[in-house]
Amino acid sequence: MSSKNIIYKTVAISVITALSLVIAKNLWEILCLSISQWNEPILYGDSWTFAITKTTEGATIQSLLSQHNEHRIVFSKAAALFETNVLNIPPGQTALIQTLILLLLSCGIWAYLSGKILKSKTLWLITSLAGSALILNPWQYENLGWEFQTPWMFINTLTLFSAVVITFGEKAMSPVASTLQDILVAAIPWIAIFSTGQGIALGLALCICSWTNSKRLGLISTASFTSALLSTYYLLDYQKPAYHPDYQFNPHYFLKILTGGSWQGLAFLIVTSAVVLAINYKAIKIPLRIAGAALMPFLFSIVFAGMTTFSRSGFGIDQANTSRYVSHSLMAGLSCIMIVALCLQKRSSQVKLLNVGPGVLTLLAFSSLNFNSFAQDFRDQWENARTFQETRRANFKCLGKKASLIKKGIEHTCPDGPHHKDIALEYFKGNTAIKPKGWHKKIIHE
């Protein structure tokens, strides 16, 4: 074996091992958060809306479709009703398990998408692992420890699934498969928009990228997206939340979200992939529909950043650093490493070390180019996730105790928080549409 092959194998094994360890650590931490929520399910902030979702037959549809902030969260409310009415458990108890399943699905879909686009097995393996590491990114810890944020992961999964759907060309499909593709492209904008407001970003991204596949899919997606948008904003009488700032567009806020906010590594991936593309774009020889699929996650991130800037930049530039925004911003990183892989693919047969390019870039992005404290920064994010969940669990227990003591005429002080006064205490008193069950009922009597 030549010295070049020895070096290549050593580097490749090292990169694959490093990515695998990152993925394993991320999955373990997410599993722990999920188990913690299952054992002691809490409600925090917007999650309290699950407690007031009406369960009577006539009111259920209206409650499911009703607006929450800027969103329609039909599937989250339906899941909460299923938990309480069918499983007989508190609302939100399965939420983080759902999040974990969706993250695993995203990793699987990303691996399949990479296999559809890349021909080199080694490049496919490393790009798949690099993408999975990004999908499980700990800098999005708020969404990993908050039971209300499952729709964010659902939208990411649906974005990757949509990218896969448009990779299939009409000529290579049977009539049945072509019809199924049409149905999926028509259904996805509706499913996305009625899952959460970010679904609009997915709907628009799919609408644009479908045209790279065919005029047929372009027309179907455009009609579906337009009708879904008109339904949620006009037929269902959308109202702008009074406590939200006026609409405005702050370019600094937009760039902050698009480039990862508190996670600086995404900016590195974007800049690096742009440079690689500028140098090697002639080496990319792929059908237009494959290019659309590869770029769809990035387009989704751009639209999401624009929407959020338009509606939230009035809160101030610091809000752009919120960890939950990383979940959708990191989708741009998936397109970035795919672009790099496509640029390197042709030359990787002559220069094998190029196969590790996407993996090396991803590891550098996780370090945010701060090699001295990479491991510490990585651990800090998971510590933030645990603290985020544990603090809110302590507050939740406090509210249960407070409701119990109020009945005895005893005052008890708890930290203030969203919906503590208008829903939380009423829930623990049994005055909301959904009553305390399981562990929720237990802590009232502790």
Side-chain angles (χ1 to χ4, degrees):
M1 185 182 294
S2 67
S3 59
K4 286 185 178 180
N5 281 336
I6 293 174
I7 293 173
Y8 163 65
K9 286 193 173 183
T10 302
V11 173
I13 291 172
S14 298
V15 171
I16 290 171
T17 301
L19 289 171
S20 298
L21 289 173
V22 168
I23 291 170
K25 170 64 174 177
N26 290 347
L27 283 174
W28 171 253
E29 293 289 351
I30 296 169
L31 177 62
C32 289
L33 293 171
S34 303
I35 293 173
S36 180
Q37 173 68 10
W38 172 262
N39 291 335
E40 296 183 344
I42 61 174
L43 296 173
Y44 166 73
D46 292 328
S47 301
W48 286 110
T49 191
F50 298 147
I52 58 175
T53 301
K54 296 179 181 178
T55 57
T56 56
E57 185 177 349
T60 301
I61 298 299
Q62 184 179 355
S63 295
L64 290 176
L65 292 174
S66 63
Q67 184 180 330
H68 177 80
N69 293 338
E70 306 101 325
H71 314 278
R72 312 279 178 190
I73 52 172
V74 174
F75 300 105
S76 291
K77 290 180 178 179
L81 290 177
F82 183 81
E83 288 173 319
T84 56
N85 294 339
V86 179
L87 300 181
N88 199 34
I89 58 177
Q93 184 165 348
T94 67
L96 296 189
I97 294 175
Q98 295 173 45
T99 292
L100 175 58
I101 292 171
L102 288 168
L103 288 168
L104 290 172
L105 274 174
S106 292
C107 292
I109 294 171
W110 170 252
Y112 179 80
L113 179 63
S114 299
K116 290 271 295 179
I117 296 175
L118 302 173
K119 298 177 181 178
S120 165
K121 290 185 178 180
T122 305
L123 194 56
W124 164 78
L125 174 61
I126 291 179
T127 303
S128 297
L129 290 174
S132 295
L134 289 176
I135 289 167
L136 303 171
N137 190 321
W139 274 263
Q140 59 179 329
Y141 67 83
E142 193 173 344
N143 288 340
L144 302 175
W146 187 2
E147 67 287 345
F148 188 73
Q149 301 299 86
T150 302
W152 290 64
M153 302 310 174
F154 177 69
I155 291 298
N156 280 4
T157 304
L158 197 57
T159 299
L160 294 174
F161 178 74
S162 301
V164 170
V165 169
I166 65 172
T167 60
F168 294 94
E170 185 176 10
K171 294 180 180 179
M173 291 190 296
S174 67
V176 173
S178 180
T179 301
L180 177 60
Q181 186 184 46
D182 293 347
I183 293 171
L184 289 172
V185 169
I188 286 170
W190 284 84
I191 295 171
I193 289 173
F194 282 86
S195 297
T196 177
Q198 299 94 291
I200 295 172
L202 168 53
L204 182 55
L206 176 62
C207 183
I208 294 170
C209 292
S210 291
W211 288 95
T212 66
N213 180 289
S214 65
K215 183 179 179 181
R216 182 188 93 257
L217 288 188
L219 289 172
I220 292 172
S221 61
T222 300
S224 176
F225 174 66
T226 303
S227 58
L229 207 59
L230 289 173
S231 296
T232 191
Y233 279 100
Y234 292 99
L235 294 183
L236 294 178
D237 191 26
Y238 173 84
Q239 299 291 328
K240 179 183 177 296
Y243 50 88
H244 283 188
D246 293 334
Y247 294 132
Q248 56 181 283
F249 193 88
N250 183 330
H252 186 195
Y253 188 100
F254 171 76
L255 289 173
K256 193 74 173 174
I257 287 186
L258 182 61
T259 55
S262 58
W263 178 45
Q264 300 173 13
L266 181 56
F268 166 75
L269 279 179
I270 292 173
V271 172
T272 303
S273 63
V275 172
V276 172
L277 180 62
I279 297 172
N280 298 281
Y281 70 93
K282 291 183 179 180
I284 300 179
K285 304 293 183 182
I286 55 174
L288 185 59
R289 69 178 187 279
I290 299 298
L295 292 174
M296 187 171 169
F298 203 132
L299 182 57
F300 164 74
S301 292
I302 292 174
V303 179
F304 165 73
M307 287 173 50
T308 307
T309 301
F310 190 56
S311 62
R312 299 298 177 92
S313 59
F315 283 128
I317 193 66
D318 289 341
Q319 210 245 3
N321 288 321
T322 303
S323 68
R324 62 180 176 272
Y325 293 155
V326 174
S327 291
H328 291 335
S329 298
L330 67 80
M331 297 293 281
L334 295 178
S335 287
C336 288
I337 60 173
M338 183 60 74
I339 289 169
V340 170
L342 284 168
C343 289
L344 300 180
Q345 183 168 236
K346 187 175 182 180
R347 297 178 59 200
S348 63
S349 58
Q350 287 84 35
V351 185
K352 291 185 177 181
L353 273 174
L354 293 177
N355 284 312
V356 304
V360 171
L361 289 178
T362 299
L363 292 172
L364 290 174
F366 271 118
S367 74
S368 297
L369 302 183
N370 187 0
F371 306 109
N372 293 328
S373 61
F374 164 59
Q376 185 61 48
D377 285 349
F378 189 76
R379 286 194 296 267
D380 285 349
Q381 300 311 312
W382 287 119
E383 183 62 33
N384 288 339
R386 290 188 289 272
T387 301
F388 178 85
Q389 189 181 66
E390 290 166 4
T391 300
R392 281 146 187 78
R393 178 165 288 111
N395 292 344
F396 186 82
K397 290 180 178 179
C398 184
L399 289 167
K401 183 177 181 180
K402 181 175 182 177
S404 177
L405 292 175
I406 285 176
K407 292 181 180 179
K408 301 176 183 178
I410 302 173
E411 286 295 326
H412 185 70
T413 302
C414 295
D416 196 15
H419 301 300
H420 283 190
K421 296 177 181 178
D422 59 336
I423 301 178
L425 292 179
E426 293 302 310
Y427 171 72
F428 282 117
K429 292 176 184 178
N431 296 333
T432 51
I434 292 178
K435 314 300 180 185
K437 298 174 182 286
W439 185 71
H440 289 188
K441 195 172 182 179
K442 178 182 177 182
I443 64 172
I444 299 174
H445 304 293
E446 286 184 349

